[in-house]
Amino acid sequence: MNLLPPSYYLEKYPYELSGGELQRAAFARAIISKPKIIIADEPASMLDASIRVGILNLLKKLRDDLGISILFITHDIFQ
């Protein structure tokens, strides 16, 4: 679920990434400035169920490891 190795992703254009990779890249950009809160507007929409669970688990890990509050805006969420 990680964007590893970073060198693989540095030269990629957004259209060359999957939906899950794009979401993870967006979260990486969001946390680089060490925010206290992330407002996640439909963070798992348009993703397959398995990828959706991975993204939600990633957000949970960010919350637990970095102490970031997350406000979810969504029409559907499971977990």
Side-chain angles (χ1 to χ4, degrees):
M1 294 305 284
N2 297 323
L3 296 175
L4 296 173
S7 59
Y8 175 80
Y9 294 95
L10 287 175
E11 302 296 323
K12 296 286 183 182
Y13 289 96
Y15 70 86
E16 297 177 303
L17 301 176
S18 71
E21 290 170 335
L22 287 170
Q23 291 292 71
R24 289 189 292 277
F27 292 126
R29 283 193 317 259
I31 64 170
I32 203 160
S33 64
K34 299 181 182 175
K36 293 182 181 181
I37 186 170
I38 292 177
I39 300 173
D41 187 6
E42 297 288 348
S45 67
M46 304 302 290
L47 299 174
D48 293 339
S50 62
I51 302 298
R52 183 179 296 207
V53 170
I55 293 295
L56 294 175
N57 286 336
L58 173 63
L59 289 171
K60 185 177 173 183
K61 182 171 175 41
L62 290 174
R63 180 199 65 194
D64 295 344
D65 293 353
L66 302 177
I68 297 172
S69 298
I70 302 171
L71 173 65
F72 287 95
I73 301 171
T74 186
H75 291 95
D76 65 336
I77 193 166
F78 29 114
Q79 248 191 352

